[in-house]
Amino acid sequence: MRKTSAYTLLLSIGIWLAPNIASAQKKKQAPADPPASTIDEPRPAQKMIEEYRFEEAISLLEKEMDTAKRQKKPTTQIEADMQIAQKGANMLAGTEKVTFIDSIVVDKDKFLNYYRLSNESGHIKNPKEILPKEFISTFKAQEIAYINELEDKILFPAPAGNNGVLKIFSSSRLSDSWNSPQQLQGMSDDENEVQNYPFVLSDGVTLYYAAQGSESLGGYDIFVTRYNSETKSYVKAENIGMPFNSPANDYLLAIDETTGIGWFVSDRSQPADKVCIYLFIPNEIREIYDPEKTGEDRLRRMARISSIAESQPADRKKVEEARLRLSKLKTRTHSIDNEGKNIQFIINDKIVYSDLTQFRNPQARRIAEEWWKATQMLQAKEEKLRQLRLQYSKSHTVPDRDILALEKETDQLLQTVNKLAKSMRKTELQ
């Protein structure tokens, strides 16, 4: 009896302990929650991409891909990171040698206020300041619009197609009216590519713009294309590569050929509400760094624009000359508000303004600004025409057709100046 009772007692204790031991083991084996500080941290491969360590990222992603396939886990994110890393590695190897002269960090929603371009380069403004009202409402123009020096062609981004993806549209002015905007064609085969921030060189053919699509490294990348007059479309755009583009957003590249200074914006290494404006000296011939001679670390620094000073040559003359041109541009009354102080805006026999700020009607002020720009262009063309006529009278080396063409342009511009003057007066007196 005693033997049986002891056995029964031990069995009862075992039965009682079993679930508690199993429960304890489950608690011990349960994985701990990850620390809150690491939940939002980028994956190792993504961090390598941010640091331009693209080859290392590729090696790591290949291992992650093998592991994911063995465990039959999704590979979508790994594949996306792999594409970025491979694009980054190719771009890094072709990094262009660019001399930067300055940079400035500004509020993201106000960066356009810091661009300083000569009148010959055209103007980048808010669409409301450039586009006819019907374009703004009909096409829902976005963010910025570009208008050329002669103010007879505008480019702007607007939603297009059934999916409403931003594309670039253009319109030309014929006499007093603008033709219906047309979407630019031929730049990309990617229907879902988002296009924005257009800028055209003074040749009227070369277009820079920013795009988010299959050919982009980060968010927005900067691309360049050219208009083909024979096909009446643009050639397939090319990504301009590093150091202009990065795994972040890079956009609105503008080159002022008059001053020889380029501008572009990037949010690389910036808080969400800030961007950095970079000023650089455009190259006449594209030259890239030799990866072997440059070294991996320095090549990454050059591609990331880690140091403005490091991008500059030992002979600082070129840099100082560029900064001097920029300084002159800033103080040269590029702003029409400053230019207006040296002229008169005649409203009627009794009202004459000497400054644009004196206008009571905002619309009249905008027209006055256009009138002043047109007046400047008219003066420049009249001077050029005078020189051509003088050259022709001395040597007959100037073709008649050049003089006749310029005469026609001058007459048309004179008509525009007179119409703007009448419109300015009428609007201000309403």
Side-chain angles (χ1 to χ4, degrees), residues 52-75:
Y52 286 49
R53 293 156 55 199
F54 300 112
E55 295 294 347
E56 295 177 56
I58 291 172
S59 297
L60 180 60
L61 288 166
E62 287 174 346
K63 295 177 182 177
E64 289 185 6
M65 182 72 75
D66 291 339
T67 301
K69 287 181 178 179
R70 284 199 308 270
Q71 298 177 353
K72 296 183 179 180
K73 292 183 177 180
T75 61

Side-chain angles (χ1 to χ4, degrees), residues 183-187 205 225-236:
Q183 181 182 330
L184 303 189
Q185 300 295 324
M187 302 186 301
V205 173
T225 180
R226 291 169 182 80
Y227 184 72
N228 186 330
S229 58
E230 294 183 1
T231 61
K232 298 187 183 304
S233 65
Y234 287 83
V235 300
K236 183 174 173 56

Side-chain angles (χ1 to χ4, degrees), residues 346-365:
I346 300 174
I347 308 303
N348 59 26
D349 293 339
K350 297 181 179 179
I351 304 175
V352 179
Y353 297 154
S354 59
D355 194 302
L356 283 170
T357 59
Q358 293 175 276
F359 280 86
R360 296 176 292 103
N361 189 310
Q363 178 67 8
R365 183 183 185 279

Side-chain angles (χ1 to χ4, degrees), residues 322-334:
R323 285 178 174 169
L324 180 60
R325 293 195 301 272
L326 178 62
S327 177
K328 288 181 178 179
L329 178 64
K330 289 180 177 179
T331 59
R332 194 191 69 177
T333 67
H334 171 76

